[in-house]
Amino acid sequence: MYKKIKTTRLGIREQDVIFDEVADLIEASNKLLDTYYEKFEPSPRQEDVRDIYYNTEIPEGQTLHLLMFGSVGSAKTWTAFSLATEVLGEHPEAEGLGVRATYDDLSDALFRPYTKFLDQFEVGYWSKQKPPTVTLYNGSRFRMRSSERTSRSRSDKADELGGTKYSVCIIDEADSVSEEFARTLAGRMRDDAGVKHKLIIYICNPPSEDHWLYEWFFVNADPDDPKSAYRAIHMHMEDNPYLPEGYKESVERDYGHNP
């Protein structure tokens, strides 16, 4: 992790440099979310999302399934990033997983947006693109994987997922992921960081009534019941404080005919 430095003419030893960097790393880890909490001002809808997670009444150790659905520009992905970052940031060496249907979509849809999110709110991290992984300064990692590649693999699904010790997962465009994969993922999550509730966030446009997401969250469960493990929240463009000027008007102009 550290570049090896030889003794200089000033007499600074290699070990001293490494110890100093380790000390800086520990200090940065302790302050990982300080600036984030100062800079990130959640909207009322984002506060509702946080409330669902932190005040769920399901038994400790169980998985909370959270569906965030809404139109383009409703801050679904940004909100998912914020909650996942809190879970990973508050639990050192926790594991997070980001999922898209195809591998080619991971970089543009998850990797780059997440590093942009962390940069904006000054959360320290390292990253690598192959396989797409973001490591926070407290040792927590957010890996990104393809559901199609995992489903097609003949090897153990845990190998394709990058592990099983996940505390939080984000499934982006969840309506394009198979029900079989979603069930496999939920059964594979083995939190090892001590979170109170494992969390799977499903992001998508409003699902049709014949889709498995609709069945999971609206037919087989009460999405508004704090005792339910399957909760849902409708995200609205009006609740997104980060939209550029004129964005809402242009979307209404181009898509207003299609409610």
Side-chain angles (χ1 to χ4, degrees):
M1 178 164 48
Y2 302 108
K3 184 178 179 180
K4 203 163 187 178
I5 302 176
K6 295 181 179 180
T7 304
T8 69
R9 282 180 289 182
L10 296 177
I12 300 175
R13 294 178 303 171
E14 175 186 339
Q15 293 93 327
D16 293 333
V17 175
I18 293 177
F19 290 153
D20 287 344
E21 292 193 24
V22 171
D24 291 342
L25 176 60
I26 293 173
E27 182 179 0
S29 178
N30 291 336
K31 297 180 178 180
L32 182 68
L33 294 180
D34 287 354
T35 304
Y36 166 78
Y37 284 126
E38 291 175 4
K39 287 181 169 290
F40 185 76
E41 298 181 4
S43 68
R45 186 65 66 178
Q46 289 168 333
E47 285 286 13
D48 291 340
V49 170
R50 297 180 75 253
D51 181 71
I52 288 174
Y53 177 69
Y54 287 109
N55 295 309
T56 181
E57 296 177 19
I58 64 175
E60 186 171 340
Q62 289 192 6
T63 300
L64 177 67
H65 301 257
L66 175 56
L67 172 66
M68 294 195 304
F69 64 98
S71 65
V72 60
S74 57
K76 302 184 296 294
T77 303
W78 223 237
T79 303
F81 285 161
S82 68
L83 185 53
T85 299
E86 289 187 30
V87 175
L88 295 174
E90 296 287 357
H91 297 85
E93 299 188 347
E95 297 281 347
L97 178 67
V99 175
R100 286 277 295 198
T102 62
Y103 185 85
D104 292 341
D105 290 337
L106 288 178
S107 181
D108 290 336
L110 283 177
F111 181 78
R112 291 177 185 172
Y114 189 49
T115 55
K116 181 179 179 180
F117 175 89
L118 296 176
D119 287 337
Q120 179 168 335
F121 298 106
E122 299 182 18
V123 180
Y125 68 93
W126 299 283
S127 67
K128 63 176 183 178
Q129 292 193 356
K130 292 186 178 181
T133 305
V134 173
T135 304
L136 304 183
Y137 279 179
N138 67 345
S140 293
R141 288 188 295 185
F142 186 67
R143 308 169 190 255
M144 298 159 210
R145 294 292 188 270
S146 156
S147 66
E148 287 185 354
R149 181 174 295 185
T150 301
S151 299
R152 291 197 309 265
S153 174
R154 296 181 180 179
S155 63
D156 189 288
K157 295 296 186 289
D159 294 336
E160 293 297 326
L161 288 172
T164 59
K165 296 181 180 180
Y166 291 112
S167 304
V168 57
C169 174
I170 297 174
I171 305 180
D172 192 28
E173 300 290 347
D175 50 347
S176 64
V177 170
S178 71
E179 182 178 13
E180 178 185 5
F181 174 83
R183 291 192 184 280
T184 298
L185 175 61
R188 289 282 182 171
M189 291 180 71
R190 302 282 191 275
D191 166 66
D192 195 39
V195 302
K196 188 174 181 181
H197 298 103
K198 292 172 289 186
L199 173 65
I200 302 180
I201 303 173
Y202 305 78
I203 304 173
C204 67
N205 294 326
S208 61
E209 293 186 7
D210 60 352
H211 197 277
W212 63 266
L213 280 169
Y214 189 89
E215 181 180 357
W216 279 26
F217 288 90
F218 297 102
V219 177
N220 298 337
D222 180 353
D224 298 318
D225 183 1
K227 295 183 174 62
S228 173
Y230 292 83
R231 303 292 304 278
I233 186 166
H234 192 176
M235 306 294 290
H236 302 282
M237 194 186 309
E238 292 77 7
D239 300 315
N240 186 355
Y242 302 104
L243 289 178
E245 185 176 352
Y247 182 89
K248 180 175 179 292
E249 290 75 14
S250 66
V251 170
E252 290 176 343
R253 180 196 65 219
D254 296 336
Y255 301 101
H257 63 286
N258 184 358

